[in-house]
Amino acid sequence: MFVKNLSINVIATFELGEYEEQQEIFDIKFLTKKVLKSKKSLIDYIKLQLDPHRELVKLSLCWNCSEEIVNQYPTIKKSIFKDNGKYFFGSWA
């Protein structure tokens, strides 16, 4: 079941390839409680949306939801207030 009134604007930053864009920007509008269970499940779900052949170095998340939803899901609250919506990988970690 999807969480209503919740979406994420995602900016994925990659190591710069020869003919590739360095960033990909997209929205995720269908998130389940299972995806929001932990930071790992959230990041894994977002990574499923990306090309696995590109080297991801950073995810920037902008949450679009009410304060009530933020308080209901610790993963969202931690992402906003502890991690500032930023996650680093590979050479940027």
Side-chain angles (χ1 to χ4, degrees):
M1 181 167 192
F2 298 116
V3 178
K4 293 181 182 178
N5 301 316
L6 172 65
S7 66
I8 309 173
N9 179 262
V10 178
I11 301 173
T13 304
F14 303 93
E15 284 289 346
L16 192 56
E18 189 174 342
Y19 297 106
E20 298 176 26
E21 294 294 322
Q22 186 176 11
Q23 293 186 323
E24 185 177 327
I25 302 170
F26 58 96
D27 292 322
I28 298 177
K29 297 181 181 183
F30 301 104
L31 296 146
T32 63
K33 291 179 181 183
K34 183 178 177 181
V35 168
L36 297 172
K37 187 173 80 169
S38 70
K39 175 178 161 180
K40 181 181 177 353
S41 61
L42 173 65
I43 301 267
D44 288 347
Y45 181 73
I46 294 171
K47 284 181 174 182
L48 286 174
Q49 320 304 314
L50 304 172
D51 180 352
H53 302 293
R54 297 178 71 191
E55 186 179 344
L56 180 66
V57 291
K58 179 181 172 188
L59 284 175
S60 299
L61 309 182
C62 181
W63 295 90
N64 183 15
C65 59
S66 68
E67 186 176 342
E68 181 182 332
I69 291 175
V70 170
N71 291 326
Q72 188 176 355
Y73 295 96
T75 301
I76 298 173
K77 193 171 192 170
K78 190 175 179 181
S79 174
I80 294 169
F81 296 110
K82 183 178 181 240
D83 300 325
N84 202 26
K86 309 263 188 278
Y87 304 95
F88 301 92
F89 310 93
S91 63
W92 287 27

